[in-house]
Amino acid sequence: MNTMPDFLHIDAQQRSVSLDARNPAFYGNPNATYALFHAHCPTFYWKEQKQWFFTGYDHVNALLRDRRFGRQILHIATREELGLPEPLEHTQNFDAAERHSLLEIEPSEHTRLRTLVNRAFVSRHVEKMKPEIETLAHRLIDRFEKDGQTELLSSFADIIPVTMIARMIGIPEEMGPQLLKWSHAYVGMYMFKRSREDELAADRAAKEFADYVRSVIAERRAEPKDDLLSHMIHTEHKGQFLTDDELISTTIVLLNAGHEATVHQIGNSVRVILESGLNPQSLFGDEKTTERTVEETLRIGAPVHIFQRWALEPVEIDGVKFERGDKVSLILAAANLDPLKFSDPLTFKPDRAEAPNLSFGAGIHFCIGAPLARLELNIVLPLLFQRLPHLKLASQPNVKDVYHFHGLERLDLTW
């Protein structure tokens, strides 16, 4: 029997939910709440967010691919027509950086940008980075192995993804700490119930980030190198080159998306494995078991929980009518826990042979960095448990208050 926690009110008949996303009891363990959504109303109107949400696997999977919905709306209607407020004055720099983001645009602009970037992220290209990732992971573990303890996010998880994506794009590695600072401030804009301070910090980060990227673009125009930024600058698509604004947006989204979620996922995965009570050596016996373990940690501990879409035309989904300009939210992490698709969904079971997880999305906005993120996880997780076979949690980790991202404040380990 599902008992309702104090912080949650579900009216199954009306299909409405009242829930404060900043309540630690929710964001600390969102999976438990998602199980209640599945039990009572997988499609619901979230009162505080003033929006409809979908958690069912089939609905989320279909909506991610449904071309009647998009990430953009102002390419087909004006703010006036849709009754949307004017952009915020104090987030102009953030809005400018997002204007040409792969995550925020639709075809044909999306097709042109994605075509130029895609080649670098296909599996066969990414696979070549394997030795570099292994070398870096070993080097980091060498630094703390003798200590018998570490805070894994700062000593390991933060460093690997940002270093690899910076190398790939052509940003100097020593910029890693600064990129992390900008990124953390930048993604504050995606938090539920963000404050004005969060918005100002994100806008400052966007301006500094864009100014820095602009200076690197100028260097690569004058002196191209064998990196993704030079490729984007000097490659044409149907007679067109990317503008500086497009290059800046694309570089920022690749740097942010290329490490933010993977940092969270390394921490989430290690925690899930250690809390499962299963023997890590059996989880990483060979390539196949490693891959299944990684996919199961992605399913049960997804780093990004929500993906939003605009209705581009009047449409009805699961009995809910949407007008053009309505926004809907898809809870990817909840779709991964749908009991109609996954047996005993709240349990970590690496030997599952069920539906693929939706943690990287689907459709044209499927995460472009998924092959790189998967490669990093498939290399660094087994390596960590192999080098530190007696790994244990030193304390109960706290989850960051950054819903709808899902990651830990810190991960203290001993061995």
Side-chain angles (χ1 to χ4, degrees), residues 56-74:
Y57 185 96
D58 286 340
H59 280 127
V60 170
N61 193 24
L63 281 163
L64 286 166
R65 305 165 195 273
D66 193 327
R67 301 305 300 135
R68 295 171 299 174
F69 291 83
R71 288 291 290 170
Q72 243 182 338
I73 188 69
L74 295 177

Side-chain angles (χ1 to χ4, degrees), residues 190-220:
Y190 300 113
M191 283 197 307
F192 280 22
K193 280 198 165 174
R194 62 183 190 235
S195 66
R196 187 182 172 91
E197 286 68 35
D198 295 327
E199 291 170 349
L200 290 167
D203 197 65
R204 264 195 311 276
K207 183 181 187 319
E208 291 171 15
F209 212 160
D211 288 347
Y212 172 71
V213 172
R214 192 175 279 110
S215 71
V216 184
I217 289 167
E219 287 171 19
R220 290 297 183 281

